Amino acid sequence: MSEKKVIAVVGATGAQGGGLVRAILADRDGDYAVRALTRDTTSEKAQELVKLGAEVVQADNYDPESLRRAFAGAYGAYLVTNFWAHMSAEKELEEATNLAAAAKEAGLRHVIWSTLEDTRDHIPVTNDRMPTLQEKYNVPHFDAKAEADELFRKAGVPTTFLRTTFYWENLANGWGATRDANGVLTLSLPMGESRLAGIAVDDIGKTAYAIFQAGAEYAGRTVHIAGEHLTGEQIAAGLSRAVGEPVVYRPLTHDAYRGLGFPGADEAGNMLQYYTEFEDYFTGVRDLDEVRKLNPELQTFDQWLKLNGHTIPTA
């Protein structure tokens, strides 16, 4: 039996990386093995991956030498940054610079870079329709990732640019329904009547794994993914079924959402305004039939809720 190709997975204990690690480990007879990269190999999540059979190694996106060691001998890598850990476009670009350089030095044959659209292609920062953030961005965690795409092109690393979207898991982690003054569960996402493209994090992992399996044909390509496109009313209806009580959709305005005051509220408000105003583009490039060709197990929102509805807070 030939030796398996090693995929190094950045952020292996996080959402996207964890989904890919699980997808690779589930395919026990496949051609790939996983090397899970994490800043802390002693953490509970890291040790869970060890028990599942993953090789777990220490690496930090801000430590180029650790990345070089972690990528050495690997066939490919899944590369992702977590903007919400620091909420800095500058730091995202620093991470991406280190990742691209380490991937080039290691001679990786296929990289997937988890990226997003540059919203400035649709909304110039000189436009006053939304606040400019961090001096030159509309939605820093979108725009900086898009800027970083060029780092991989210039490095000459065979890269698939995987454009992701809103996680359904966010609805269980602070973005979901909350109780109003009358105790009614209320979904306040400022989407108006527009559809939101959402996806389960496990489906990001499964789709990424399929891209690695497809091989060189995806190098240099941009792949847009989602699991389903739903209005706020449809999301609220799904949440209602999951929690067993009515969830009412009362969308805020984008300005009101930005004014909520939680850390990153302006970033989140700008992002959701972009989703709202450019719904036709954003959902249009995320062709669900095409995604399902890569990942036949792609979940609808209701299918995700059947497995994860118990995680939706109702307090």
Side-chain angles (χ1 to χ4, degrees):
M1 182 177 178
S2 60
E3 188 173 343
K4 292 191 175 188
K5 301 173 183 176
V6 173
I7 302 296
V9 180
V10 169
T13 59
Q16 292 188 34
L20 177 56
V21 169
R22 290 188 291 273
I24 298 173
L25 291 175
D27 185 17
R28 297 190 180 279
D29 297 324
D31 295 328
Y32 295 85
V34 65
R35 181 180 296 162
L37 277 55
T38 180
R39 286 175 298 177
D40 181 5
T41 60
T42 65
S43 72
E44 183 178 345
K45 288 184 177 180
Q47 289 304 304
E48 287 175 2
L49 296 181
V50 172
K51 291 175 184 176
L52 289 173
E55 175 193 2
V56 178
V57 302
Q58 192 281 332
D60 189 314
N61 288 356
Y62 299 105
D63 180 353
E65 181 57 35
S66 74
L67 293 174
R68 286 191 284 270
R69 289 195 303 267
F71 290 166
Y75 165 82
Y78 186 83
L79 309 178
V80 63
T81 56
N82 180 13
F83 173 87
W84 301 102
H86 46 66
M87 293 188 284
S88 165
E90 183 178 355
K91 286 182 178 295
E92 287 231 298
L93 287 166
E94 179 184 350
E95 291 180 69
T97 298
N98 292 339
L99 290 166
K104 177 180 181 180
E105 185 170 327
L108 298 183
R109 294 170 60 187
H110 191 180
V111 159
I112 296 178
W113 164 237
S114 176
T115 186
L116 288 160
E117 277 83 351
D118 193 327
T119 67
R120 297 166 298 181
D121 292 340
H122 299 101
I123 308 172
V125 289
T126 54
N127 190 299
D128 62 2
R129 69 205 293 172
M130 63 175 60
T132 298
L133 304 179
Q134 299 181 34
E135 298 184 354
K136 59 179 181 177
Y137 301 107
N138 295 317
V139 185
H141 81 282
F142 271 59
D143 303 341
K145 284 183 174 69
E147 280 186 8
D149 293 356
E150 190 61 24
L151 297 172
F152 294 92
R153 295 188 184 101
K154 286 183 177 179
V157 178
T159 304
T160 302
F161 302 93
L162 186 67
R163 288 186 173 175
T164 60
T165 189
F166 184 89
Y167 308 161
W168 295 134
E169 283 76 5
N170 289 336
L171 296 171
N173 295 302
W175 298 69
T178 56
R179 293 197 182 275
D180 67 9
N182 297 315
V184 177
L185 281 172
T186 305
L187 182 68
S188 301
L189 289 176
M191 292 294 299
E193 297 180 0
S194 297
R195 294 172 301 158
L196 176 64
I199 195 168
V201 292
D202 276 349
D203 282 323
I204 298 176
K206 290 177 181 178
T207 306
Y209 185 39
I211 291 170
F212 279 124
Q213 290 175 302
E217 67 174 284
Y218 277 91
R221 290 175 58 178
T222 299
V223 178
H224 301 79
I225 62 172
E228 196 167 14
H229 308 311
L230 298 176
T231 65
E233 291 281 6
Q234 290 171 321
I235 294 171
L239 293 174
S240 298
R241 292 189 293 272
V243 302
E245 67 173 287
V247 175
V248 178
Y249 178 52
R250 295 192 190 119
L252 294 172
T253 66
H254 297 111
D255 282 339
Y257 198 87
R258 282 186 282 264
L260 290 176
F262 62 84
D266 50 0
E267 170 88 17
N270 282 12
M271 175 189 74
L272 291 163
Q273 184 173 345
Y274 175 70
Y275 280 143
T276 302
E277 295 184 0
F278 296 92
E279 171 207 1
D280 288 347
Y281 160 76
F282 201 83
T283 61
V285 294
R286 286 161 173 79
D287 184 326
L288 303 182
D289 290 335
E290 289 299 313
V291 181
R292 195 161 276 110
K293 288 177 184 177
L294 282 165
N295 174 17
E297 298 177 355
L298 187 69
Q299 298 170 83
T300 65
F301 183 48
D302 277 343
Q303 288 171 327
W304 179 82
L305 282 170
K306 285 180 181 177
L307 295 174
N308 298 279
H310 64 281
T311 67
I312 304 296
T314 58

